[in-house]
Amino acid sequence: MAVLATGMTAAGVAFVAGCLAGLLPSIVLYLFITSILCVLVAQYYPECFFSAFIVNVFAILSGTMQESLAGNMDRLVLIIIGVMVAAVFQVLFYPHFVRNELRSSIIITLKKLKRVNHEIFSCLLQPEYPDNIYLFERRLHIQKNRFMQSMMRLRAVMQQVMKKMNAEEKEGYLAFLVQLDLLYANMLDYSQIRRRVTDHTSFLLCAKELSEIVKEVNTSIDGAISHVDGKKYYVNADMLAIKIKRLDDNYQNVLQIAVKEPLVFMLFIDSLNAFSKRIKELYGLTV
């Protein structure tokens, strides 16, 4: 449906642009409106970016090449034929295409999870957070919404694909989906520290350990992405636990004495350890 909608729209705008090519004010206004509409579609629906880009390119190219009415009709017919050829092959290879789309959706979801983690640690590591809480919380809220939308898309694709899977494959993908939910729940859990700590300068006492942890979490998620994508990229699954242990050592020696809410940091460390175990389990799943 996306191929057909993109192709038919591109054919229509190309035909109109070709008809207006000889009228300078009209074609300029038409291309301006078309470009604005394509930009708005891409802005509000990021998944339609390439479709909007293709439509806009066809409009611009047709507007710069003046043709007779018969030539514009030929152009319209050729575009439609090309769209139908693409649609036919899309149908023929639909099962394989949907499986690839499932892997792509998983990878996109993991990248969204990585962005959520980045925004969480930005709230902890950036000294501007107390003075700009709304700005930081809005960024985090946007990333959480994008992750949830990606999860909804992933579930929808998985429902389509599972009809073609055997029992073992279904079990593997369902387990992977559960792990994604649990990882996100762990993130939300350890993100609560930003609300529980009343003195934001407390994070300065463990800024180095937090920076190392966020880098290692990102590396772990990159390893999961490579695992799903079938790439030979091996991550030391124990490194995240080692970085968390350094934070725990800091807590035992400094934080539990120097900060106002030492219990909050202990809960934070427990949540990080739970996340570390979950990401290890994710590596063991076959998808």
Side-chain angles (χ1 to χ4, degrees):
M1 294 302 296
V3 171
L4 289 175
T6 303
M8 295 304 176
T9 304
V13 298
F15 177 76
V16 175
C19 293
L20 297 175
L23 306 172
L24 185 59
S26 300
I27 189 61
V28 169
L29 179 62
Y30 176 76
L31 293 179
F32 175 76
I33 294 174
T34 303
S35 298
I36 290 295
L37 290 176
C38 290
V39 169
L40 290 175
V41 169
Q43 180 72 25
Y44 288 101
Y45 304 97
E47 66 275 11
C48 298
F49 170 80
F50 288 108
S51 297
F53 176 76
I54 290 171
V55 170
N56 202 29
V57 167
F58 271 78
I60 293 172
L61 292 177
S62 298
T64 57
M65 296 183 289
Q66 186 175 356
E67 286 282 353
S68 62
L69 181 60
N72 283 327
M73 287 300 298
D74 291 340
R75 182 184 296 165
L76 177 67
V77 171
L78 289 173
I79 295 175
I80 293 175
I81 291 174
V83 171
M84 297 308 297
V85 170
V88 168
F89 280 102
Q90 189 88 345
V91 172
L92 292 176
F93 296 103
Y94 181 74
H96 184 69
F97 167 78
V98 174
R99 283 176 178 270
N100 288 339
E101 187 177 8
L102 177 57
R103 289 182 178 274
S104 176
S105 297
I106 293 175
I107 291 172
I108 290 172
T109 304
L110 285 168
K111 289 181 179 180
K112 301 295 184 184
L113 188 69
K114 184 177 174 181
R115 290 297 306 172
V116 173
N117 181 71
H118 173 77
E119 295 300 335
I120 290 172
F121 277 88
S122 292
C123 296
L124 309 184
L125 292 170
Q126 297 295 327
E128 299 85 4
Y129 175 77
D131 298 325
N132 301 276
I133 293 179
Y134 174 78
L135 176 62
F136 282 88
E137 290 294 332
R138 182 175 180 275
R139 290 174 181 171
L140 178 57
H141 178 71
I142 290 173
Q143 295 304 327
K144 289 194 291 187
N145 280 346
R146 289 177 178 175
F147 174 80
M148 296 306 298
Q149 291 171 0
S150 183
M151 284 294 290
M152 291 174 60
R153 173 62 180 165
L154 176 57
R155 288 190 175 95
V157 175
M158 193 170 289
Q159 287 180 354
Q160 297 177 353
V161 178
M162 281 190 173
K163 300 174 184 177
K164 306 291 183 179
M165 290 182 178
N166 55 43
E168 184 178 353
E169 288 178 321
K170 287 182 181 179
E171 183 179 353
Y173 277 105
L174 286 174
F176 202 95
L177 189 63
V178 170
Q179 286 297 325
L180 285 176
D181 281 326
L182 293 174
L183 286 172
Y184 181 62
N186 281 135
M187 276 193 181
L188 295 184
D189 189 28
Y190 65 65
S191 72
Q192 295 305 313
I193 191 174
R194 73 191 193 279
R195 302 177 184 274
R196 295 169 177 167
V197 173
T198 55
D199 184 5
H200 195 270
T201 58
S202 301
F203 294 115
L204 295 176
L205 299 174
C206 55
K208 181 180 178 181
E209 289 81 2
L210 292 176
S211 298
E212 292 177 349
I213 288 173
V214 68
K215 290 179 182 178
E216 202 57 44
V217 170
N218 291 339
T219 301
S220 300
I221 296 176
D222 287 337
I225 291 172
S226 300
H227 172 65
V228 174
D229 206 20
K231 296 179 180 178
K232 295 182 179 180
Y233 177 71
Y234 302 101
V235 176
N236 187 349
D238 296 325
M239 282 303 298
L240 179 56
I242 292 172
K243 302 298 184 182
I244 297 172
K245 181 63 170 59
R246 290 180 182 176
L247 177 63
D248 187 41
D249 292 339
N250 186 317
Y251 170 77
Q252 298 295 334
N253 297 319
V254 179
L255 292 175
Q256 67 176 348
I257 301 172
V259 301
K260 294 181 180 179
E261 302 93 352
L263 181 60
V264 171
F265 280 89
M266 186 179 71
L267 296 174
F268 176 64
I269 293 170
D270 286 341
S271 295
L272 288 173
N273 282 320
F275 181 89
S276 177
K277 293 177 181 178
R278 296 289 182 197
I279 202 74
K280 281 184 182 179
E281 293 173 3
L282 195 71
Y283 290 153
L285 298 176
T286 303
V287 292

